[in-house]
Amino acid sequence: MGKLQEKVAIITGAAGGIGSAAVQLFVDEGARVLLVDSAEAPLRDVASRFGDRVAWVTADVSSARDTERYVNEAVTRFGGIDVLFANAGTEGAVCSLLDATLEDFDRVLAVNVRGVWLGIKYAAPRIALRKGGSIVITSSVAGLVGALGIGPYVASKHAVVGLAKTAALELAAANIRVNTIHPGPIENRMMRSLEQQANPGDPSAIKGMYHAMIPFGRYGTNEEIAKLALFLASDDSSFCTGSVFVADGGLVAH
Ligand SMILES: NC(=O)c1ccc[n+]([C@@H]2O[C@H](COP(=O)([O-])OP(=O)(O)OC[C@H]3O[C@@H](n4cnc5c(N)ncnc54)[C@H](O)[C@@H]3O)[C@@H](O)[C@H]2O)c1
């Protein structure tokens, strides 16, 4: 029997690297999954691989109306919600805090923080109706330590740790677990964007710099992060709540 047999999950950022790997793993483990993303074409493409075990809806997670809509869609399509994987995120611009713009700061915080809060706000009452479940939030190693050039992103990823810990306290009585996952650099679009922005002339130099900082000497894979999300989504983590779970090849052990 799969680890998510009979469970219904919502995955936001489902068209992206980590999100789409989680869709694959959650479906393989027996879940029915609502895929949420703001990018319609890649979302449709991911959903097309999975038949009627998945449904998809385009939504901007920073919008209250969109969040209510995607939560309602999961209930309409699959009868309830057991798991929210609040994973959608944006890296924003690479520049110093002194050069950051108001627009970029507000957008990064809106997607990465308000989006997570809205997901909790609208999904938790539905999860409570199933006598409990799990909310997994994708933070980052940038939610544990500072990082040069991505101040709004760092602030946003620290902020969701506070949201998760508070939600864990408030939702324990409803038997809802809430935890954050903290990937190090992952081999996907977001790192390509950060490398390119940090050094347009030689993005591979940034990758080399990260490899040198990571004790395992490499980036992680989307699948390695999806496996951590699966552990927290499933009953295997039945006594884990309000905690941070790091998967970074040893990066923040320094
Ligand atoms: N890639 C990394 O190295 C890394 C490291 C640590 C944490 N993370 C976090 O992992 C999560 C997933 O990112 P990823 O690595 O798969 O990158 P990604 O860019 O491939 O995926 C992010 C997805 O979020 C979607 N998205 C962005 N804004 C949205 C919005 N307003 N509403 C709905 N969807 C939106 C994007 O369309 C994209 O599909 C993010 O929260 C990211 O911050 C990534």
Side-chain angles (χ1 to χ4, degrees):
M1 193 162 113
K3 289 181 185 294
L4 295 178
Q5 209 67 42
E6 308 304 326
K7 305 276 194 202
V8 175
I10 295 173
I11 298 178
T12 71
I18 292 170
S20 58
V23 174
Q24 176 78 60
L25 198 52
F26 283 25
V27 168
D28 287 350
E29 293 293 337
R32 287 170 298 159
V33 184
L34 182 76
L35 283 56
V36 178
D37 206 288
S38 53
E40 178 168 345
L43 183 64
R44 188 193 294 273
D45 184 51
V46 172
S48 69
R49 300 179 212 150
F50 297 100
D52 62 5
R53 295 206 67 79
V54 309
W56 61 274
V57 55
T58 52
D60 177 349
V61 296
S62 70
S63 153
R65 196 169 356 151
D66 281 15
T67 306
E68 199 171 11
R69 186 165 53 76
Y70 78 65
V71 165
N72 287 339
E73 180 71 11
V75 174
T76 305
R77 292 295 291 254
F78 299 128
I81 303 166
D82 303 286
V83 172
L84 170 65
F85 182 22
N87 168 73
T90 185
E91 66 275 22
V94 176
C95 63
S96 75
L97 274 175
L98 306 192
D99 291 331
T101 65
L102 196 60
E103 291 70 27
D104 192 58
F105 187 92
D106 285 350
R107 184 66 193 150
V108 170
L109 272 286
V111 175
N112 295 0
V113 185
R114 190 206 299 158
V116 168
W117 165 63
L118 288 170
I120 295 169
K121 178 178 170 67
Y122 287 100
R126 302 296 193 161
I127 300 174
L129 291 175
R130 309 270 271 200
K131 307 269 181 274
S134 174
I135 297 174
V136 183
I137 297 163
T138 309
S139 176
S140 168
V141 287
L144 300 171
V145 295
L148 288 169
I150 47 172
Y153 183 79
V154 169
S156 73
K157 293 300 184 180
H158 277 72
V160 293
V161 175
L163 275 180
K165 288 184 175 177
T166 304
L169 298 176
E170 293 185 0
L171 299 173
N175 195 31
I176 299 174
R177 294 172 288 110
V178 188
N179 295 286
T180 49
I181 62 174
H182 298 260
I186 302 304
E187 196 63 69
N188 69 22
R189 185 214 65 83
M190 192 172 282
M191 281 312 299
R192 291 295 91 74
S193 161
L194 292 171
E195 291 158 0
Q196 180 67 34
Q197 290 191 67
N199 189 346
D202 186 9
S204 64
I206 302 295
K207 186 172 186 176
M209 186 195 73
Y210 274 115
H211 280 193
M213 288 163 61
I214 298 168
F216 276 180
R218 65 171 176 88
Y219 285 2
T221 66
N222 295 314
E223 291 72 22
E224 286 173 314
I225 305 308
K227 286 178 189 168
L228 180 57
L230 171 65
F231 166 71
L232 290 168
S234 78
D235 295 341
D236 281 352
S237 59
S238 53
F239 203 48
C240 301
T241 197
S243 283
V244 299
F245 291 82
V246 182
D248 70 344
L251 179 60
V252 298
H254 286 292

